[in-house]
Amino acid sequence: MQHILKLDVAGQPRGWITAHEALTAYARGDVIYGVGDPLPPMMGGVQRRTGLRSRIDMQPIIALQGRIRSDFSLPLCNRTLFRRDGHRCLYCGQQFARAELTRDHVLPTSRGGRDRWENVVAACRRCNWAKDNRTPEEAGMPLLAVPFRPNTWEWHFLAKERVLADQMDYLSQQFRTLRAWAH
């Protein structure tokens, strides 16, 4: 099922909603504006009096009524982390399937490291085990890239497996830099 990118009134991405949720928002009049090429129309029932069938034209990106929130936090989960790192172990550099990767804390949590974007990387099981409870420097295993916190637009891209071209164009305009995973 296709998902719709939900924006707040200021145009900030605020999540992904299902087509059914978007239909409800259109029917309630909560959609302020839409962005992108129209999706195939959603057809409803036939009205008894007129014989006309209801139809809602949706767009892949919609802004909904409501207040602007600046407190959107970017959840850290393995799926988005592994996508950020290109499904690549940031110690040995090899690419792996999601099931073969683990979350490694650059500064181990047992030594005061926190579970946050700037302190975690994708690591294969072998490298994670070899690094153990040490920093990359102590283990002699330098990182191939610096872990970073994605911005809101990058996170929304990373959080979805299938992103339509219009959605990608909208999100990528605010990416901090050209990313390998954004192609």
Short mmCIF file of all heavy atoms in Angstrom, two decimals, residues 2-60:
data_model
loop_
_atom_site.label_atom_id
_atom_site.label_comp_id
_atom_site.label_asym_id
_atom_site.label_seq_id
_atom_site.Cartn_x
_atom_site.Cartn_y
_atom_site.Cartn_z
N GLN A 2 0.56 2.21 -0.83
CA GLN A 2 1.31 3.45 -0.92
C GLN A 2 1.06 4.32 0.31
O GLN A 2 -0.06 4.40 0.79
CB GLN A 2 0.90 4.21 -2.18
CG GLN A 2 1.65 5.50 -2.38
CD GLN A 2 3.14 5.31 -2.40
OE1 GLN A 2 3.66 4.48 -3.12
NE2 GLN A 2 3.85 6.06 -1.59
N HIS A 3 2.12 4.96 0.78
CA HIS A 3 1.98 5.88 1.90
C HIS A 3 2.12 7.31 1.41
O HIS A 3 2.80 7.59 0.43
CB HIS A 3 3.03 5.57 2.97
CG HIS A 3 2.66 4.40 3.80
ND1 HIS A 3 2.87 3.10 3.41
CD2 HIS A 3 2.06 4.33 5.01
CE1 HIS A 3 2.42 2.28 4.33
NE2 HIS A 3 1.92 2.99 5.31
N ILE A 4 1.47 8.21 2.12
CA ILE A 4 1.45 9.62 1.80
C ILE A 4 2.32 10.35 2.82
O ILE A 4 2.24 10.08 4.02
CB ILE A 4 -0.01 10.17 1.87
CG1 ILE A 4 -0.97 9.31 1.03
CG2 ILE A 4 -0.06 11.63 1.50
CD1 ILE A 4 -0.67 9.25 -0.43
N LEU A 5 3.16 11.26 2.33
CA LEU A 5 3.99 12.07 3.22
C LEU A 5 3.12 13.17 3.81
O LEU A 5 2.50 13.96 3.08
CB LEU A 5 5.17 12.67 2.45
CG LEU A 5 6.12 13.56 3.26
CD1 LEU A 5 6.77 12.78 4.40
CD2 LEU A 5 7.19 14.15 2.34
N LYS A 6 3.06 13.21 5.13
CA LYS A 6 2.24 14.20 5.85
C LYS A 6 3.12 15.37 6.27
O LYS A 6 4.19 15.17 6.84
CB LYS A 6 1.60 13.55 7.08
CG LYS A 6 0.79 14.50 7.93
CD LYS A 6 0.12 13.79 9.08
CE LYS A 6 1.11 13.44 10.15
NZ LYS A 6 0.49 12.97 11.39
N LEU A 7 2.66 16.58 5.96
CA LEU A 7 3.36 17.80 6.35
C LEU A 7 2.53 18.58 7.34
O LEU A 7 1.31 18.43 7.39
CB LEU A 7 3.59 18.69 5.12
CG LEU A 7 4.22 18.08 3.88
CD1 LEU A 7 4.27 19.12 2.76
CD2 LEU A 7 5.60 17.55 4.18
N ASP A 8 3.20 19.45 8.11
CA ASP A 8 2.43 20.40 8.92
C ASP A 8 2.16 21.63 8.05
O ASP A 8 2.58 21.68 6.89
CB ASP A 8 3.14 20.73 10.24
CG ASP A 8 4.48 21.45 10.07
OD1 ASP A 8 4.76 21.99 8.96
OD2 ASP A 8 5.26 21.47 11.04
N VAL A 9 1.49 22.64 8.58
CA VAL A 9 1.11 23.80 7.78
C VAL A 9 2.33 24.57 7.27
O VAL A 9 2.23 25.31 6.29
CB VAL A 9 0.15 24.75 8.54
CG1 VAL A 9 -1.18 24.06 8.80
CG2 VAL A 9 0.77 25.25 9.82
N ALA A 10 3.49 24.41 7.90
CA ALA A 10 4.70 25.11 7.48
C ALA A 10 5.49 24.31 6.43
O ALA A 10 6.53 24.76 5.97
CB ALA A 10 5.59 25.38 8.69
N GLY A 11 5.00 23.13 6.08
CA GLY A 11 5.68 22.32 5.08
C GLY A 11 6.74 21.40 5.64
O GLY A 11 7.51 20.80 4.88
N GLN A 12 6.79 21.24 6.96
CA GLN A 12 7.75 20.34 7.60
C GLN A 12 7.20 18.92 7.59
O GLN A 12 6.04 18.71 7.96
CB GLN A 12 7.98 20.76 9.06
CG GLN A 12 8.49 22.17 9.22
CD GLN A 12 9.95 22.28 8.86
OE1 GLN A 12 10.76 21.46 9.26
NE2 GLN A 12 10.27 23.28 8.07
N PRO A 13 8.02 17.93 7.20
CA PRO A 13 7.53 16.55 7.24
C PRO A 13 7.21 16.13 8.67
O PRO A 13 7.97 16.41 9.59
CB PRO A 13 8.69 15.73 6.68
CG PRO A 13 9.75 16.67 6.28
CD PRO A 13 9.38 18.03 6.75
N ARG A 14 6.08 15.46 8.84
CA ARG A 14 5.65 15.03 10.17
C ARG A 14 5.26 13.57 10.23
O ARG A 14 4.73 13.12 11.23
CB ARG A 14 4.49 15.89 10.65
CG ARG A 14 4.91 17.31 10.95
CD ARG A 14 5.95 17.33 12.07
NE ARG A 14 6.42 18.66 12.35
CZ ARG A 14 7.69 19.02 12.32
NH1 ARG A 14 8.62 18.16 12.01
NH2 ARG A 14 8.03 20.25 12.61
N GLY A 15 5.50 12.82 9.18
CA GLY A 15 5.21 11.40 9.24
C GLY A 15 4.67 10.87 7.93
O GLY A 15 4.51 11.60 6.96
N TRP A 16 4.42 9.59 7.94
CA TRP A 16 3.84 8.89 6.80
C TRP A 16 2.48 8.37 7.22
O TRP A 16 2.33 7.85 8.33
CB TRP A 16 4.74 7.72 6.39
CG TRP A 16 6.06 8.16 5.86
CD1 TRP A 16 7.23 8.28 6.56
CD2 TRP A 16 6.37 8.54 4.53
NE1 TRP A 16 8.24 8.71 5.75
CE2 TRP A 16 7.74 8.88 4.48
CE3 TRP A 16 5.62 8.63 3.35
CZ2 TRP A 16 8.37 9.29 3.31
CZ3 TRP A 16 6.25 9.04 2.19
CH2 TRP A 16 7.62 9.37 2.18
N ILE A 17 1.49 8.55 6.36
CA ILE A 17 0.16 8.04 6.65
C ILE A 17 -0.28 7.14 5.50
O ILE A 17 0.24 7.24 4.38
CB ILE A 17 -0.86 9.17 6.89
CG1 ILE A 17 -0.97 10.09 5.65
CG2 ILE A 17 -0.50 9.97 8.13
CD1 ILE A 17 -2.05 11.16 5.78
N THR A 18 -1.20 6.26 5.79
CA THR A 18 -1.70 5.35 4.76
C THR A 18 -2.64 6.13 3.83
O THR A 18 -3.12 7.22 4.16
CB THR A 18 -2.49 4.18 5.38
OG1 THR A 18 -3.67 4.71 6.01
CG2 THR A 18 -1.64 3.40 6.38
N ALA A 19 -2.91 5.55 2.68
CA ALA A 19 -3.85 6.16 1.73
C ALA A 19 -5.23 6.29 2.38
O ALA A 19 -5.93 7.28 2.16
CB ALA A 19 -3.92 5.33 0.45
N HIS A 20 -5.61 5.31 3.20
CA HIS A 20 -6.91 5.38 3.89
C HIS A 20 -6.96 6.57 4.84
O HIS A 20 -7.97 7.30 4.90
CB HIS A 20 -7.16 4.08 4.64
CG HIS A 20 -8.47 4.04 5.35
ND1 HIS A 20 -9.68 3.96 4.69
CD2 HIS A 20 -8.78 4.11 6.68
CE1 HIS A 20 -10.66 3.98 5.57
NE2 HIS A 20 -10.14 4.07 6.78
N GLU A 21 -5.88 6.79 5.59
CA GLU A 21 -5.84 7.94 6.50
C GLU A 21 -5.88 9.25 5.71
O GLU A 21 -6.53 10.22 6.13
CB GLU A 21 -4.58 7.89 7.36
CG GLU A 21 -4.58 6.76 8.38
CD GLU A 21 -3.24 6.54 9.03
OE1 GLU A 21 -2.20 6.60 8.33
OE2 GLU A 21 -3.22 6.29 10.26
N ALA A 22 -5.20 9.28 4.56
CA ALA A 22 -5.21 10.48 3.71
C ALA A 22 -6.62 10.73 3.17
O ALA A 22 -7.09 11.87 3.14
CB ALA A 22 -4.22 10.33 2.56
N LEU A 23 -7.31 9.66 2.76
CA LEU A 23 -8.69 9.78 2.28
C LEU A 23 -9.57 10.42 3.35
O LEU A 23 -10.39 11.30 3.06
CB LEU A 23 -9.26 8.41 1.94
CG LEU A 23 -9.09 7.92 0.52
CD1 LEU A 23 -9.56 6.48 0.40
CD2 LEU A 23 -9.81 8.81 -0.45
N THR A 24 -9.41 9.96 4.57
CA THR A 24 -10.19 10.50 5.68
C THR A 24 -9.90 11.99 5.85
O THR A 24 -10.82 12.79 6.05
CB THR A 24 -9.87 9.74 6.98
OG1 THR A 24 -10.17 8.35 6.78
CG2 THR A 24 -10.67 10.26 8.16
N ALA A 25 -8.62 12.36 5.76
CA ALA A 25 -8.25 13.77 5.90
C ALA A 25 -8.86 14.62 4.77
O ALA A 25 -9.36 15.71 5.01
CB ALA A 25 -6.73 13.92 5.91
N TYR A 26 -8.83 14.09 3.55
CA TYR A 26 -9.46 14.81 2.42
C TYR A 26 -10.96 14.95 2.66
O TYR A 26 -11.53 16.03 2.47
CB TYR A 26 -9.23 14.07 1.10
CG TYR A 26 -7.95 14.42 0.39
CD1 TYR A 26 -6.84 13.60 0.48
CD2 TYR A 26 -7.86 15.57 -0.40
CE1 TYR A 26 -5.66 13.90 -0.20
CE2 TYR A 26 -6.70 15.88 -1.08
CZ TYR A 26 -5.59 15.05 -0.98
OH TYR A 26 -4.43 15.35 -1.64
N ALA A 27 -11.62 13.88 3.08
CA ALA A 27 -13.08 13.90 3.28
C ALA A 27 -13.48 14.86 4.40
O ALA A 27 -14.52 15.51 4.33
CB ALA A 27 -13.58 12.49 3.59
N ARG A 28 -12.65 14.98 5.42
CA ARG A 28 -12.94 15.89 6.53
C ARG A 28 -12.61 17.35 6.19
O ARG A 28 -12.94 18.24 6.96
CB ARG A 28 -12.10 15.49 7.75
CG ARG A 28 -12.58 14.28 8.44
CD ARG A 28 -11.73 14.06 9.68
NE ARG A 28 -12.15 12.87 10.37
CZ ARG A 28 -11.41 12.23 11.25
NH1 ARG A 28 -10.21 12.65 11.54
NH2 ARG A 28 -11.87 11.15 11.83
N GLY A 29 -11.86 17.56 5.12
CA GLY A 29 -11.44 18.91 4.77
C GLY A 29 -10.21 19.36 5.52
O GLY A 29 -9.96 20.57 5.64
N ASP A 30 -9.44 18.41 6.04
CA ASP A 30 -8.24 18.74 6.82
C ASP A 30 -7.02 19.02 5.95
O ASP A 30 -6.00 19.48 6.44
CB ASP A 30 -7.90 17.60 7.78
CG ASP A 30 -8.90 17.47 8.91
OD1 ASP A 30 -9.64 18.44 9.16
OD2 ASP A 30 -8.94 16.40 9.55
N VAL A 31 -7.09 18.70 4.65
CA VAL A 31 -5.94 18.90 3.77
C VAL A 31 -5.91 20.36 3.32
O VAL A 31 -6.86 20.85 2.70
CB VAL A 31 -6.00 17.96 2.55
CG1 VAL A 31 -4.85 18.23 1.60
CG2 VAL A 31 -5.99 16.51 3.01
N ILE A 32 -4.83 21.05 3.64
CA ILE A 32 -4.68 22.46 3.27
C ILE A 32 -4.17 22.57 1.83
O ILE A 32 -4.65 23.39 1.06
CB ILE A 32 -3.72 23.17 4.24
CG1 ILE A 32 -4.28 23.13 5.65
CG2 ILE A 32 -3.47 24.60 3.80
CD1 ILE A 32 -3.30 23.57 6.70
N TYR A 33 -3.17 21.77 1.51
CA TYR A 33 -2.65 21.74 0.15
C TYR A 33 -1.93 20.42 -0.09
O TYR A 33 -1.58 19.70 0.84
CB TYR A 33 -1.72 22.93 -0.15
CG TYR A 33 -0.46 22.97 0.69
CD1 TYR A 33 0.71 22.31 0.28
CD2 TYR A 33 -0.42 23.69 1.88
CE1 TYR A 33 1.86 22.36 1.06
CE2 TYR A 33 0.73 23.74 2.65
CZ TYR A 33 1.88 23.09 2.23
OH TYR A 33 3.02 23.14 2.99
N GLY A 34 -1.75 20.12 -1.36
CA GLY A 34 -1.04 18.91 -1.75
C GLY A 34 0.10 19.26 -2.69
O GLY A 34 0.09 20.31 -3.33
N VAL A 35 1.08 18.37 -2.75
CA VAL A 35 2.25 18.57 -3.60
C VAL A 35 2.45 17.31 -4.42
O VAL A 35 2.29 16.19 -3.91
CB VAL A 35 3.52 18.86 -2.75
CG1 VAL A 35 4.74 19.02 -3.63
CG2 VAL A 35 3.31 20.08 -1.87
N GLY A 36 2.83 17.47 -5.67
CA GLY A 36 3.15 16.33 -6.51
C GLY A 36 2.04 15.97 -7.47
O GLY A 36 0.92 16.48 -7.39
N ASP A 37 2.39 15.09 -8.40
CA ASP A 37 1.43 14.62 -9.39
C ASP A 37 0.32 13.84 -8.72
O ASP A 37 0.58 13.04 -7.82
CB ASP A 37 2.12 13.74 -10.43
CG ASP A 37 3.09 14.52 -11.31
OD1 ASP A 37 2.88 15.74 -11.49
OD2 ASP A 37 4.07 13.92 -11.79
N PRO A 38 -0.93 14.05 -9.15
CA PRO A 38 -2.05 13.32 -8.53
C PRO A 38 -1.87 11.80 -8.65
O PRO A 38 -1.36 11.30 -9.65
CB PRO A 38 -3.26 13.78 -9.34
CG PRO A 38 -2.85 15.07 -9.99
CD PRO A 38 -1.37 14.97 -10.21
N LEU A 39 -2.28 11.13 -7.60
CA LEU A 39 -2.28 9.67 -7.59
C LEU A 39 -3.55 9.19 -8.30
O LEU A 39 -4.47 9.99 -8.52
CB LEU A 39 -2.25 9.16 -6.14
CG LEU A 39 -1.02 9.56 -5.34
CD1 LEU A 39 -1.20 9.18 -3.88
CD2 LEU A 39 0.23 8.93 -5.91
N PRO A 40 -3.64 7.93 -8.65
CA PRO A 40 -4.90 7.44 -9.25
C PRO A 40 -6.07 7.78 -8.32
O PRO A 40 -5.97 7.65 -7.10
CB PRO A 40 -4.69 5.93 -9.35
CG PRO A 40 -3.21 5.76 -9.41
CD PRO A 40 -2.63 6.87 -8.56
N PRO A 41 -7.19 8.23 -8.88
CA PRO A 41 -8.32 8.65 -8.04
C PRO A 41 -8.90 7.49 -7.23
O PRO A 41 -8.86 6.35 -7.66
CB PRO A 41 -9.35 9.18 -9.05
CG PRO A 41 -8.98 8.55 -10.34
CD PRO A 41 -7.49 8.32 -10.31
N MET A 42 -9.41 7.84 -6.08
CA MET A 42 -10.08 6.87 -5.22
C MET A 42 -11.58 7.05 -5.46
O MET A 42 -12.11 8.15 -5.31
CB MET A 42 -9.74 7.11 -3.75
CG MET A 42 -8.25 7.01 -3.46
SD MET A 42 -7.56 5.40 -3.79
CE MET A 42 -7.88 4.60 -2.26
N MET A 43 -12.21 5.98 -5.83
CA MET A 43 -13.64 6.03 -6.16
C MET A 43 -14.45 5.47 -5.00
O MET A 43 -14.06 4.49 -4.37
CB MET A 43 -13.92 5.21 -7.43
CG MET A 43 -13.08 5.63 -8.63
SD MET A 43 -13.19 7.36 -9.08
CE MET A 43 -14.80 7.37 -9.83
N GLY A 44 -15.57 6.12 -4.76
CA GLY A 44 -16.45 5.69 -3.68
C GLY A 44 -17.75 5.14 -4.22
O GLY A 44 -17.82 4.65 -5.35
N GLY A 45 -18.75 5.27 -3.43
CA GLY A 45 -20.06 4.74 -3.81
C GLY A 45 -20.82 5.67 -4.73
O GLY A 45 -20.42 6.79 -5.01
N VAL A 46 -21.97 5.18 -5.20
CA VAL A 46 -22.84 5.95 -6.10
C VAL A 46 -23.94 6.60 -5.26
O VAL A 46 -24.61 5.94 -4.47
CB VAL A 46 -23.45 5.02 -7.18
CG1 VAL A 46 -24.42 5.79 -8.05
CG2 VAL A 46 -22.36 4.38 -8.00
N GLN A 47 -24.11 7.91 -5.47
CA GLN A 47 -25.13 8.63 -4.73
C GLN A 47 -26.50 8.30 -5.31
O GLN A 47 -26.69 8.32 -6.53
CB GLN A 47 -24.86 10.14 -4.81
CG GLN A 47 -25.73 10.91 -3.85
CD GLN A 47 -25.44 12.38 -3.92
OE1 GLN A 47 -25.51 12.96 -5.00
NE2 GLN A 47 -25.15 12.96 -2.76
N ARG A 48 -27.44 7.98 -4.45
CA ARG A 48 -28.77 7.53 -4.88
C ARG A 48 -29.53 8.59 -5.67
O ARG A 48 -30.14 8.29 -6.69
CB ARG A 48 -29.58 7.10 -3.66
CG ARG A 48 -30.88 6.45 -4.05
CD ARG A 48 -31.69 5.92 -2.91
NE ARG A 48 -31.12 6.19 -1.60
CZ ARG A 48 -31.73 5.97 -0.47
NH1 ARG A 48 -32.93 5.47 -0.47
NH2 ARG A 48 -31.17 6.23 0.69
N ARG A 49 -29.49 9.83 -5.23
CA ARG A 49 -30.27 10.88 -5.90
C ARG A 49 -29.72 11.26 -7.27
O ARG A 49 -30.45 11.43 -8.22
CB ARG A 49 -30.32 12.13 -5.03
CG ARG A 49 -31.34 12.06 -3.97
CD ARG A 49 -31.56 13.42 -3.36
NE ARG A 49 -31.71 13.24 -1.93
CZ ARG A 49 -31.38 14.11 -1.02
NH1 ARG A 49 -30.84 15.24 -1.38
NH2 ARG A 49 -31.58 13.86 0.24
N THR A 50 -28.41 11.46 -7.34
CA THR A 50 -27.82 11.96 -8.58
C THR A 50 -27.28 10.86 -9.49
O THR A 50 -27.07 11.08 -10.68
CB THR A 50 -26.65 12.92 -8.28
OG1 THR A 50 -25.61 12.18 -7.63
CG2 THR A 50 -27.12 14.09 -7.42
N GLY A 51 -26.99 9.71 -8.91
CA GLY A 51 -26.39 8.63 -9.69
C GLY A 51 -24.90 8.85 -9.93
O GLY A 51 -24.27 8.08 -10.65
N LEU A 52 -24.33 9.89 -9.31
CA LEU A 52 -22.90 10.17 -9.47
C LEU A 52 -22.07 9.39 -8.46
O LEU A 52 -22.49 9.20 -7.32
CB LEU A 52 -22.63 11.67 -9.31
CG LEU A 52 -23.29 12.58 -10.33
CD1 LEU A 52 -23.03 14.04 -9.98
CD2 LEU A 52 -22.78 12.26 -11.73
N ARG A 53 -20.94 8.97 -8.89
CA ARG A 53 -20.03 8.22 -8.02
C ARG A 53 -19.06 9.21 -7.38
O ARG A 53 -18.53 10.10 -8.05
CB ARG A 53 -19.27 7.20 -8.85
CG ARG A 53 -18.50 6.23 -8.01
CD ARG A 53 -18.02 5.07 -8.85
NE ARG A 53 -17.35 4.12 -7.99
CZ ARG A 53 -16.61 3.14 -8.40
NH1 ARG A 53 -16.44 2.95 -9.69
NH2 ARG A 53 -16.04 2.33 -7.56
N SER A 54 -18.81 9.05 -6.09
CA SER A 54 -17.88 9.95 -5.41
C SER A 54 -16.45 9.64 -5.84
O SER A 54 -16.12 8.50 -6.19
CB SER A 54 -18.03 9.84 -3.90
OG SER A 54 -17.67 8.56 -3.47
N ARG A 55 -15.63 10.68 -5.82
CA ARG A 55 -14.25 10.54 -6.28
C ARG A 55 -13.38 11.51 -5.48
O ARG A 55 -13.75 12.68 -5.30
CB ARG A 55 -14.18 10.87 -7.76
CG ARG A 55 -12.79 11.02 -8.30
CD ARG A 55 -12.83 11.53 -9.73
NE ARG A 55 -11.49 11.84 -10.17
CZ ARG A 55 -11.02 11.52 -11.35
NH1 ARG A 55 -11.76 10.88 -12.22
NH2 ARG A 55 -9.80 11.85 -11.69
N ILE A 56 -12.24 11.02 -5.01
CA ILE A 56 -11.28 11.89 -4.32
C ILE A 56 -9.95 11.75 -5.03
O ILE A 56 -9.43 10.63 -5.20
CB ILE A 56 -11.15 11.54 -2.82
CG1 ILE A 56 -12.47 11.81 -2.10
CG2 ILE A 56 -10.02 12.33 -2.19
CD1 ILE A 56 -12.47 11.54 -0.62
N ASP A 57 -9.41 12.89 -5.45
CA ASP A 57 -8.09 12.93 -6.06
C ASP A 57 -7.08 13.30 -4.97
O ASP A 57 -7.22 14.35 -4.33
CB ASP A 57 -8.05 13.96 -7.19
CG ASP A 57 -8.97 13.56 -8.34
OD1 ASP A 57 -8.84 12.43 -8.82
OD2 ASP A 57 -9.81 14.40 -8.75
N MET A 58 -6.09 12.44 -4.78
CA MET A 58 -5.09 12.67 -3.74
C MET A 58 -3.74 12.95 -4.37
O MET A 58 -3.47 12.57 -5.50
CB MET A 58 -4.96 11.44 -2.84
CG MET A 58 -6.21 11.10 -2.08
SD MET A 58 -5.94 9.87 -0.77
CE MET A 58 -5.12 8.55 -1.62
N GLN A 59 -2.88 13.59 -3.58
CA GLN A 59 -1.51 13.83 -3.99
C GLN A 59 -0.58 13.09 -3.03
O GLN A 59 -0.97 12.77 -1.90
CB GLN A 59 -1.23 15.33 -4.01
CG GLN A 59 -1.98 16.03 -5.15
CD GLN A 59 -1.85 17.51 -5.10
OE1 GLN A 59 -2.56 18.15 -4.34
NE2 GLN A 59 -0.95 18.05 -5.91
N PRO A 60 0.67 12.81 -3.46
CA PRO A 60 1.57 12.00 -2.63
C PRO A 60 2.11 12.71 -1.39
O PRO A 60 2.64 12.09 -0.49
CB PRO A 60 2.71 11.65 -3.58
CG PRO A 60 2.67 12.69 -4.64
CD PRO A 60 1.24 13.11 -4.76
#
